[in-house]
Amino acid sequence: MLFKLRIEKMVQGGEGFARLPDGRACFVQGGLPNELCNVELVQNKKDFARGRAVEILERSDDRVQSKCALFGKCGGCSLQHLDPLKQSAYLERVERENFRRLAHAELPENFAIHVGPAWDYRNRARVVLKADKSGKVVYGFRKQESRSIATFESCPVLTPALNAFLKENAAKIFAPFVGRRAFELDVNLFDNGKGEISYFYRDMPAKEFAKNACSVVDIAGCKIHSDASVFFQSNLSLLPELVKSVQVAVDEGIASGEASDAWLIDLFSGVGFFAAILKDRFKKITTVERDDGCLKHAKVNLGESVGRVVENVSAPAENWLVENVVDTPATLIVDPPRTGLPLDALNAIVKSSVNRLVYVSCDPVTLARDYAKFAAAGFSLKKAEGFAFYPQTPHLEMLFVLSR
Ligand SMILES: C[S@@+](CC[C@H](N)C(=O)[O-])C[C@H]1O[C@@H](n2cnc3c(N)ncnc32)[C@H](O)[C@@H]1O
């Protein structure tokens, strides 16, 4: 059954919000604010529904033709129908409302979103390689809500170097697996920004790992060692702006006396990314990361730290915080995954002597949730910035500075 609905606004996740005739909220994929759409329901719950705009009866001026043939099929890039130049303004409105609703607070008036290139930006991806019926090796993205694969020849958000690499090397990477029935190979790919591609798949032979998985990224005057099996930021074009903002936030903390240069604690540190860039400012540095694969890189990235104490800890951040009482006003950076801060970690920070926190987040929803808890414990929001690391999608990277 179709409903003719007027989209009122965009909500977290990029869907349009509308009301069904019975008053229930309906989240509409593909509908933009102010548009009148024919909506087909895909989920019909007691309190709300989800739908898909199957016909746009009155168009928004901000609607554009999607660029990619896989739009709506691969599960990524769900905002391709919105003018790339307008996406950050829409996301800013969404985040202001999200924060109001979840944290019962206002984002600062000067909250703004840093933007970079709309296409060709994504330097890290996971693709699936397989042989088609004729034996030809093809590749694609795994669709979000199923195990099936949307194949592509070229993806317009991947860097040109990643697209070229796939075209030239997919068959070679898949060669050892040819003949295995219905076999699919998940491969992580990483472009280090200089067009040098590294890749990784599970159970990759050690020799191949040493030759093909490792990478070095030049950023902020540092050479950061990593490999394609572990986390690394996915938008190298915009990353220098995030790094700059983190540097400014850290320097302001030290200058104000709220945080000290005696000790930098980088939690959820990956390969020691932020600590490596900031290391010259501090007498002691601790990085904490639970993925063991990061440890050897963190040791290298913080290796040239003569004259200062460095500890690279491989452990869950919450365990480290509970076991190591931070009783000085150290400089603290946290950059957790989408799930946000584990409650034990948040409580330990509140109990510690840390007075200032630089919180890098890849999920504004869990960030707002965590902020509300910090606010209840006496922290206030000093600074908020957004980073459009994933154009054509509703995802946003955020930086908060909190202090008490
Ligand atoms: C968003 S990434 C940030 C990494 C790093 N700050 C960077 O910029 O490259 C989050 C990292 O947290 C790690 N992680 C996830 N849960 C963790 C936990 N409970 N304790 C410690 N590290 C964790 C992940 O392995 C990942 O490397």
Side-chain angles (χ1 to χ4, degrees):
M1 185 179 171
L2 288 185
F3 289 92
K4 191 184 284 187
L5 302 180
R6 175 77 65 187
I7 308 295
E8 295 177 15
K9 59 186 175 183
M10 183 183 280
V11 291
Q12 193 72 46
E15 291 165 312
F17 176 91
R19 291 263 175 213
L20 289 167
D22 63 12
R24 280 178 305 151
C26 184
F27 301 98
V28 182
Q29 183 64 51
L32 292 176
N34 299 322
E35 288 186 333
L36 187 66
C37 311
N38 269 334
V39 176
E40 178 185 49
L41 295 196
V42 292
Q43 194 180 23
N44 203 354
K45 297 270 196 189
K46 197 166 139 254
D47 300 331
F48 72 94
R50 288 191 187 285
R52 205 163 52 85
V54 289
E55 190 181 4
I56 311 299
L57 304 167
E58 290 176 22
R59 291 169 61 95
S60 161
D61 290 343
D62 297 335
R63 176 173 286 275
V64 293
Q65 183 61 42
S66 58
K67 182 165 166 166
C68 176
L70 286 185
F71 178 56
K73 295 190 185 121
C74 89
C77 296
S78 61
L79 283 192
Q80 269 193 51
H81 56 303
L82 176 59
D83 183 346
L85 295 175
K86 305 276 174 64
Q87 288 177 8
S88 65
Y90 277 74
L91 292 184
E92 182 185 329
R93 278 195 289 277
V94 169
E95 293 324 331
R96 286 189 184 280
E97 182 175 333
N98 167 55
F99 201 60
R100 217 170 279 137
R101 189 170 52 84
L102 295 173
H104 307 291
E106 291 294 325
L107 282 175
E109 226 166 87
N110 65 359
F111 169 71
I113 297 176
H114 299 247
V115 289
W119 305 100
D120 299 335
Y121 63 81
R122 204 180 160 110
N123 55 280
R124 183 169 166 260
R126 172 173 284 197
V127 297
V128 187
L129 273 49
K130 64 172 190 173
D132 70 7
K133 280 187 188 132
S134 71
K136 183 179 170 223
V137 175
V138 294
Y139 46 85
F141 294 119
R142 217 174 267 294
K143 294 182 188 171
Q144 256 166 14
E145 274 150 30
S146 76
R147 296 283 300 161
S148 65
I149 298 160
T151 58
F152 63 89
E153 287 201 358
S154 182
C155 163
V157 297
L158 292 188
T159 62
L162 276 184
N163 276 314
F165 178 84
L166 274 169
K167 211 164 270 176
E168 284 162 29
N169 295 286
K172 200 169 82 192
I173 295 171
F174 195 75
F177 308 99
V178 165
R180 286 201 199 178
R181 230 177 123 247
F183 183 74
E184 296 172 349
L185 186 70
D186 286 80
V187 180
N188 294 353
L189 295 164
F190 183 73
D191 172 356
N192 72 349
K194 290 188 285 187
E196 294 162 2
I197 311 298
S198 49
Y199 65 90
F200 169 79
Y201 55 85
R202 248 179 83 179
D203 301 328
M204 192 178 200
K207 254 189 183 168
E208 192 182 352
F209 187 98
K211 186 164 170 237
N212 293 319
C214 299
S215 61
V216 180
V217 179
D218 284 320
I219 188 151
C222 296
K223 289 199 182 304
I224 308 288
H225 293 251
S226 184
D227 71 67
S229 76
V230 298
F231 176 88
F232 206 90
Q233 304 282 355
S234 307
N235 187 327
L236 289 180
S237 309
L238 204 49
L239 188 56
E241 291 195 32
L242 173 62
V243 166
K244 179 94 196 121
S245 292
V246 169
Q247 284 171 328
V248 169
V250 163
D251 289 342
E252 285 174 352
I254 295 169
S256 70
E258 283 177 342
S260 89
D261 62 0
W263 190 11
L264 169 67
I265 304 170
D266 181 0
L267 298 182
F268 310 89
S269 55
V271 297
F273 180 75
F274 290 118
I277 290 167
L278 294 161
K279 65 182 185 222
D280 291 344
R281 293 159 166 82
F282 293 93
K283 297 182 182 70
K284 177 180 170 187
I285 298 163
T286 302
T287 68
V288 185
E289 161 63 49
R290 79 167 176 200
D291 181 349
D292 278 341
C294 293
L295 190 62
K296 62 178 186 296
H297 298 302
K299 283 183 174 161
V300 172
N301 291 329
L302 286 137
E304 294 159 29
S305 303
V306 183
R308 60 181 65 84
V309 178
V310 174
E311 49 182 15
N312 302 118
V313 181
S314 184
E318 57 279 27
N319 294 6
W320 183 86
L321 276 165
V322 169
E323 286 157 18
N324 295 270
V325 177
V326 180
D327 57 1
T328 65
T331 295
L332 178 60
I333 299 176
V334 300
D335 184 8
R338 286 211 169 136
T339 43
L341 282 177
L343 192 56
D344 284 351
L346 195 147
N347 288 338
I349 293 169
V350 167
K351 272 197 220 141
S352 76
S353 300
V354 167
N355 291 323
R356 187 179 163 100
L357 172 67
V358 177
Y359 190 143
V360 179
S361 161
C362 49
D363 187 339
V365 171
T366 53
L367 176 65
R369 176 202 72 191
D370 289 349
Y371 166 77
K373 292 182 185 140
F374 279 118
F379 282 85
S380 61
L381 183 56
K382 293 286 171 204
K383 195 181 264 192
E385 295 175 36
F387 297 83
F389 267 23
Y390 307 97
Q392 319 308 329
T393 84
H395 299 297
L396 208 54
E397 197 82 5
M398 301 273 277
L399 170 72
F400 270 19
V401 179
L402 308 178
S403 79
R404 63 178 165 186

